Amino acid sequence: MFRSAALIAAATSAAAETITGTIFCDNQFEFYFNGQLIASDPVHFTPHQAVEVSFEWDGISDKVYAIHCQDYASSSGYEYIENNPALGDGSLIAEFSDGTITTSDWKHHVVTHGPTAESVANGCSSSNLPACVVADYGTPANWFAMDFDDSTWASTTTYTANEAGWGRSPTWTGTECCTMTSPADRSQLGCNVDSSGNMITVTESECLHPETAFSTSSASFIWGSDLILDNRILFRYTVPSSGTPPLPPPATPSPTRRRRRRN
């Protein structure tokens, strides 16, 4: 005897779940879940803030987490190119209410890396930026999709908080996220502005102090094998589905009561 479509739909609905999470990316991220864009980090550079996210899972399908995280870098690979150029480092740490956390089990693909060793050998330095070259390995089409094949992607490298660092912490004033700085010359730009000085919207849940947000987390900082020179990275992690949720048991009819005969 087959269960009705209504019962299957009811079981699916009952298994659906709202998942929440927190993401910290140095400097900026885009987060996808099961192929859908869930959140984009509104802060382009600094402060280095954590962001809360929330999304729905149907309770049946695989859970595919995909995050694009980029450490700011100019075409030379350097930041602060107008005021004492330096090489920054990138990192990603995330945790979600379903128990998913960033570990070395996540897969990654480096999109940009630099300056390359060859360009450094040819004279690239903080005082000779025109000689610097950044390698671009491309962004695979639909890399965030559920059916994307990431089997050739390498596992991530994990780092400690001391190695990756929490960066320049944010301040929430009650209405604004502060203080943004320029990736070109280190100048302070103000609150709720992008790296070009344009006003942006940043909510309190997008301006969290990262070290506080992850103070009890067992998640690891992850990145490519080179914390300094890997600039833009795509990350993926799949939690396999456990299958269709169990259907509710069929309703049991109430026992029939005999009515007492009145004499």
Side-chain angles (χ1 to χ4, degrees):
M1 180 177 179
F2 294 99
R3 302 287 180 89
S4 69
L7 283 176
I8 295 175
T12 301
S13 176
E17 178 184 347
T18 298
I19 300 175
T20 59
T22 307
I23 301 173
F24 171 72
C25 162
D26 180 358
N27 292 102
Q28 188 180 30
F29 73 86
E30 290 180 340
F31 168 55
Y32 298 81
F33 179 76
N34 283 0
Q36 301 299 313
L37 178 63
I38 301 300
S40 296
D41 185 351
V43 178
H44 296 176
F45 187 53
T46 64
H48 299 91
Q49 91 295 5
V51 176
E52 287 184 350
V53 296
S54 178
F55 49 96
E56 300 299 316
W57 174 54
D58 62 15
I60 298 176
S61 61
D62 292 348
K63 291 185 280 189
V64 180
Y65 292 84
I67 301 176
H68 170 206
C69 180
Q70 57 180 344
D71 174 42
Y72 177 85
S74 66
S75 58
S76 65
Y78 280 80
E79 58 191 19
Y80 304 128
I81 59 175
E82 297 175 10
N83 181 6
N84 191 22
L87 294 172
D89 58 349
S91 62
L92 170 68
I93 185 171
E95 66 174 353
F96 301 92
S97 60
D98 66 342
T100 300
I101 58 175
T102 45
T103 68
S104 59
D105 292 331
W106 284 55
K107 298 290 194 73
H108 81 289
H109 167 74
V110 175
V111 178
T112 59
H113 171 95
T116 62
E118 182 180 5
S119 68
V120 172
N122 291 330
C124 163
S125 69
S126 60
S127 59
N128 187 20
L129 298 183
C132 300
V133 175
V134 172
D136 189 333
Y137 302 108
T139 301
N142 297 318
W143 66 273
F144 48 81
M146 292 186 68
D147 59 356
F148 179 82
D149 182 6
D150 60 14
S151 60
T152 62
W153 287 18
S155 297
T156 60
T157 301
T158 59
Y159 298 90
T160 66
N162 286 337
E163 291 170 324
W166 295 107
R168 185 191 299 267
S169 299
T171 299
W172 178 252
T173 67
T175 57
E176 294 182 310
C177 189
C178 304
T179 296
M180 283 63 172
T181 61
S182 168
D185 61 12
R186 304 174 187 264
S187 62
Q188 293 192 1
L189 301 174
C191 305
N192 278 27
V193 295
D194 64 17
S195 56
S196 299
N198 301 310
M199 296 301 300
I200 58 174
T201 299
V202 185
T203 65
E204 184 175 5
S205 64
E206 297 170 324
C207 187
L208 303 179
H209 190 290
E211 190 169 6
T212 301
F214 288 93
S215 61
T216 61
S217 176
S218 57
S220 298
F221 281 95
I222 59 174
W223 201 242
S225 60
D226 195 314
L227 197 62
I228 305 297
L229 299 182
D230 291 337
N231 296 322
R232 291 177 53 207
I233 301 184
L234 310 178
F235 297 91
R236 284 175 57 93
Y237 181 72
T238 300
V239 181
S241 169
S242 58
T244 303
L247 297 175
T252 302
S254 300
T256 302
R257 294 184 178 180
R258 293 186 178 182
R259 299 182 63 182
R260 295 179 62 184
R261 180 182 295 179
R262 293 182 179 179
N263 293 328

